[in-house]
Amino acid sequence: MSAPDRVASIRTEPLPTTRAHPPVVAIVGAHGGAGTSTLARWWAPAADCGQSWPGSAQTAQRVVVAARLCLPGLVACVDRLREWHVGTAPGGVEIVGVVLSAARPGRVPASVRRYRAVVEDLAEQVWDIGWHDELIERELAELAEFTPFDPAPQRRARLTQAVPLDVHHVGSELIDALARAAKNPIEQQDSER
């Protein structure tokens, strides 16, 4: 596997702490419009890293790659995943998974579904976020946020009251994946003794 022609930039400064606790995961956009700011707003333990790898060892280097579920989004996502697999991403960066956000309401075209399989081959975990019409009329600051152990929201809750059910579900799975990733180095150190 070779590195892609277009590589992501590297953010050398630490991720900012904008909430009660420092972020534990960086949301990295595979392309512009991937939804990094919305996802970082929805998930309290996350930080928006734009389209840059988090290169500072002083803050979280666990990453969720975000992309739109469309052919250009998937191609860009594959580029980021290939970049990480061949080692051109900064040292310490660990991809926890990929979040694919719907590019439009309705069915996903067959060609996009087929190319999605390439992303699934390169990522340990792939999560889906559906289309949410209400996002069109909301500012980021208005959106509710998910924190670990929040109860599942009601199905028809406004985005100002609770995150959508699929966002809550993915947030819960992300917290579990982060916990497993944090536990694995400890287990490896214990087994080396």
Side-chain angles (χ1 to χ4, degrees):
M1 180 182 302
S2 62
D5 295 333
R6 296 169 293 172
V7 296
S9 60
I10 298 171
R11 177 190 174 104
T12 56
E13 60 276 352
L15 297 172
T17 299
T18 58
R19 295 182 174 126
H21 303 284
V24 295
V25 65
I27 309 295
V28 174
H31 55 87
T36 59
S37 56
T38 302
L39 294 171
R41 170 64 188 168
W42 270 336
W43 295 322
D48 181 358
C49 212
Q51 294 178 61
S52 301
W53 294 112
S56 172
Q58 296 175 10
T59 56
Q61 286 190 291
R62 289 196 172 97
V63 167
V64 170
V65 177
R68 288 284 171 199
L69 187 53
C70 60
L71 200 52
L74 293 174
V75 169
C77 185
V78 166
D79 283 349
R80 293 299 73 78
L81 294 170
R82 285 179 41 220
E83 191 177 339
W84 179 70
H85 278 290
V86 300
T88 56
V93 167
E94 177 187 349
I95 293 180
V96 178
V98 169
V99 172
L100 300 175
S101 297
R104 64 182 178 104
R107 274 183 59 82
V108 176
S111 60
V112 174
R113 288 195 312 270
R114 282 192 298 273
Y115 200 82
R116 176 196 167 104
V118 177
V119 171
E120 291 171 343
D121 286 344
L122 293 172
E124 187 171 325
Q125 182 70 51
V126 179
W127 294 291
D128 290 292
I129 300 292
W131 181 261
H132 298 284
D133 278 333
E134 191 181 345
L135 281 176
I136 295 169
E137 57 185 285
R138 295 286 171 217
E139 293 284 338
L140 282 178
E142 294 179 279
L143 298 178
E145 69 179 18
F146 163 87
T147 56
F149 312 113
D150 279 353
Q154 294 179 354
R155 230 178 236 295
R156 301 265 183 220
R158 304 288 298 171
L159 296 185
T160 56
Q161 300 166 333
V163 298
L165 195 54
D166 59 344
V167 173
H168 181 277
H169 177 74
V170 173
S172 295
E173 288 191 8
L174 174 58
I175 294 299
D176 290 345
L178 290 167
R180 284 191 305 274
K183 186 178 175 183
N184 285 341
I186 294 168
E187 288 176 351
Q188 289 172 351
Q189 288 173 356
D190 288 345
S191 68
E192 292 170 0
R193 291 182 187 161

